[in-house]
Amino acid sequence: MKTIKMTTWIMLGLTLGIAAGYAAHALAPDAAAAKDIAGYFSIITDVFLRLIKMIIAPLVFGTLVSGIAGMQDRSAIGRIGMRAMAWFVLASLISLGLGLLLVNLLQVGRELNLPMPEASAVVGLNTAGFNLKIFITHVFPTSFADAMAKNEILQILVFSLFFGFALAAVKSEHSKTIRAMVDELVGVMLKLTDYVMRAAPLGVFAAMAAVVTTQGFAVLTIYAKLMGGFFFGLALLWALLIGVGYLFLRGAVFDLLRALKEPIMLAFSTASSEAAYPKMMEQLEKFGVNPRITGFVLPLGYSFNLDGSMMYMTFAALFIAQAYHIDLSLGTQLSMLLVLMVSSKGMAGVPRGSLVVVAAVLPLFHLPEVGILLIIGIDQFLDMGRTATNVVGNGIATSVIAKWEGELKRPRTPAEVRLAA
């Protein structure tokens, strides 16, 4: 499909999904029936996301190994990695800080005025694994096959780094054959990705229909202030990211946003960064970014550069504190944000990973874990905004790093991008 045509189909799927969900919600006799109906819509969504997850692991492995092994200047790998990580950490701190400022100004949770829950009230989320020791050791795989099977992106990334460096260091005819095979693997996976993406409008339709069927339109109004404040914060963050991108890319940053329109819409509609990843790689290449830069920087960004998720976790944690009228000092809030930043790394492939991270951090600061229930109902909509923001942040970061490295060709005009599609 051409880019503009795919975009139209995705918007149509989004609109029809909301309409179908509203109709199902209105016709359902009770909440249990609505949940059953939503389950049928979710079958389509689950199948589509499973297809996406099916291609992510080999695609990340192939693109990262190909990018490292194909670099002529070995010193560039370390330089690019350092530049990327510096960008990611700074962007995360800015996102957290902006969220902290807005949620304290808006006081989004004070109006709920909830009493403290019983001490035994807990939420059934698995938070035991979120501590620094387990996180660091978990990054390193015990088995590459196991990491591939479980879609452990950080573990795949670590193995791919070692494998790419080793392949680049070996000078033999056989190593050239392996390198050629990896390059061919990337080509095959991109073609497979194109096939899977043709089902994106159907997946978007089903995802929206399911959530509106169970929640109805009321979910959009109950926490209107929270949602409004959060999306206002995302708008400010977008403006900040685009402004920084303009400093390096000049007017081409707007061409980049047009090129990323489809992956942004995919991320927003499905609330899945994985759904947008393959198309994002394709559009960055059309924009002019060297595929080897994309293959190296983008997987790192998916684990370490989650700008929208950083802001979301700030809003969620402090919203819960405000809802129960728990006053946190500025120092405590800053400490919480740093813990959230460290704990969140590698959560991109975890369904509702942000919720799990927030639930894990709450007890560390004597906040009721059950408060996570306050935002679960609207998390789908917040997830859409934060996921789209993650795509924008990673697209700009990859393009700027490519510019620094002299690996950004003259960006194509929108007409050229459409013709290439």
Side-chain angles (χ1 to χ4, degrees):
M1 297 184 185
K2 294 183 178 180
T3 302
I4 188 171
K5 186 176 180 180
M6 173 62 85
T7 302
T8 302
W9 278 109
I10 290 174
M11 283 301 300
L12 181 62
L14 181 67
T15 304
L16 291 178
I18 294 174
Y22 177 72
H25 180 79
L27 294 174
D30 51 40
K35 187 176 181 180
D36 289 339
I37 296 172
Y40 290 104
F41 286 122
S42 296
I43 293 174
I44 301 174
T45 306
D46 292 343
V47 170
F48 175 64
L49 292 180
R50 280 175 177 265
L51 290 174
I52 293 294
K53 290 177 181 293
M54 174 185 72
I55 62 178
I56 288 297
L59 187 60
V60 169
F61 170 76
T63 53
L64 191 56
V65 171
S66 178
I68 295 174
M71 284 188 174
Q72 299 300 319
D73 183 5
R74 304 302 175 208
S75 63
I77 298 175
R79 183 177 65 249
I80 294 171
M82 290 297 294
R83 284 178 169 178
M85 291 306 299
W87 179 287
F88 298 160
V89 171
L90 182 60
S92 294
L93 291 174
I94 291 173
S95 301
L96 289 167
L98 183 58
L100 175 67
L101 176 64
L102 287 174
V103 77
N104 278 291
L105 287 176
L106 298 174
Q107 293 290 308
V108 290
R110 291 288 180 183
E111 295 178 8
L112 289 179
N113 197 28
L114 298 176
M116 284 293 291
E118 296 292 334
S120 60
V122 295
V123 181
L125 291 175
N126 179 19
T127 63
F130 281 91
N131 64 67
L132 187 59
K133 176 184 175 182
I134 293 179
F135 166 75
I136 293 175
T137 55
H138 183 72
V139 166
F140 298 90
T142 56
S143 166
F144 176 58
D146 183 64
M148 293 284 284
K150 295 180 179 178
N151 258 1
E152 294 278 2
I153 298 301
L154 267 181
Q155 293 186 0
I156 294 170
L157 189 147
V158 168
F159 178 85
S160 300
L161 286 173
F162 279 105
F163 190 89
F165 282 121
L167 183 59
V170 175
K171 306 296 183 182
S172 70
E173 290 300 318
H174 295 299
S175 68
K176 293 180 182 178
T177 302
I178 296 175
R179 193 177 305 172
M181 290 175 61
V182 172
D183 290 340
E184 287 299 316
L185 172 65
V186 174
V188 172
M189 293 308 303
L190 289 176
K191 177 56 68 175
L192 177 58
T193 296
D194 181 62
Y195 295 151
V196 172
M197 285 298 106
R198 293 171 187 265
L202 189 60
V204 169
F205 163 81
M208 292 307 304
V211 71
V212 177
T213 296
T214 54
Q215 302 293 338
F217 284 157
V219 72
L220 300 177
T221 59
I222 294 174
Y223 297 115
K225 188 174 181 179
L226 171 62
M227 294 179 62
F230 178 67
F231 280 98
F232 175 69
L234 290 183
L236 292 180
L237 183 57
W238 277 45
L240 188 58
L241 291 171
I242 293 169
V244 174
Y246 183 85
L247 295 177
F248 298 96
L249 303 174
R250 297 301 178 185
V253 71
F254 301 109
D255 294 329
L256 171 63
L257 293 175
R258 282 189 285 267
L260 293 179
K261 178 173 59 176
E262 186 176 328
I264 290 172
M265 291 185 63
L266 267 174
F268 182 80
S269 302
T270 63
S272 170
S273 297
E274 292 178 335
Y277 181 89
K279 196 65 181 178
M280 191 175 177
M281 291 186 62
E282 179 184 330
Q283 293 302 100
L284 285 172
E285 182 177 355
K286 290 176 181 178
F287 175 69
V289 178
N290 190 316
R292 303 192 186 282
I293 296 293
T294 304
F296 182 65
V297 175
L298 200 56
L300 285 175
Y302 263 61
S303 291
F304 294 99
N305 191 41
L306 305 174
D307 301 328
S309 297
M310 294 293 104
M311 179 171 287
Y312 165 81
M313 289 188 293
T314 306
F315 265 78
L318 295 184
F319 172 79
I320 292 170
Q322 291 171 2
Y324 292 103
H325 285 259
I326 300 173
D327 294 321
L328 301 176
S329 67
L330 179 60
T332 301
Q333 292 183 35
L334 291 175
S335 299
M336 180 189 295
L337 298 191
L338 291 176
V339 173
L340 286 170
M341 184 175 72
V342 173
S343 301
S344 67
K345 302 313 177 189
M347 73 178 182
V350 179
R352 296 293 179 267
S354 297
L355 275 174
V356 177
V357 172
V358 172
V361 171
L362 291 179
L364 298 178
F365 295 89
H366 307 290
L367 299 176
E369 185 185 357
V370 72
I372 205 73
L373 293 173
L374 297 175
I375 56 176
I376 283 180
I378 57 171
D379 182 68
Q380 173 71 20
F381 299 98
L382 302 179
D383 197 6
M384 293 161 68
R386 69 181 181 247
T387 305
T389 303
N390 293 341
V391 170
V392 172
N394 280 315
I396 292 176
T398 304
S399 301
V400 169
I401 291 170
K403 177 77 171 181
W404 284 344
E405 293 294 317
E407 298 287 353
L408 180 65
K409 303 175 185 176
R410 179 188 65 84
R412 302 180 187 181
T413 65
E416 290 173 329
V417 170
R418 288 195 295 270
L419 183 61

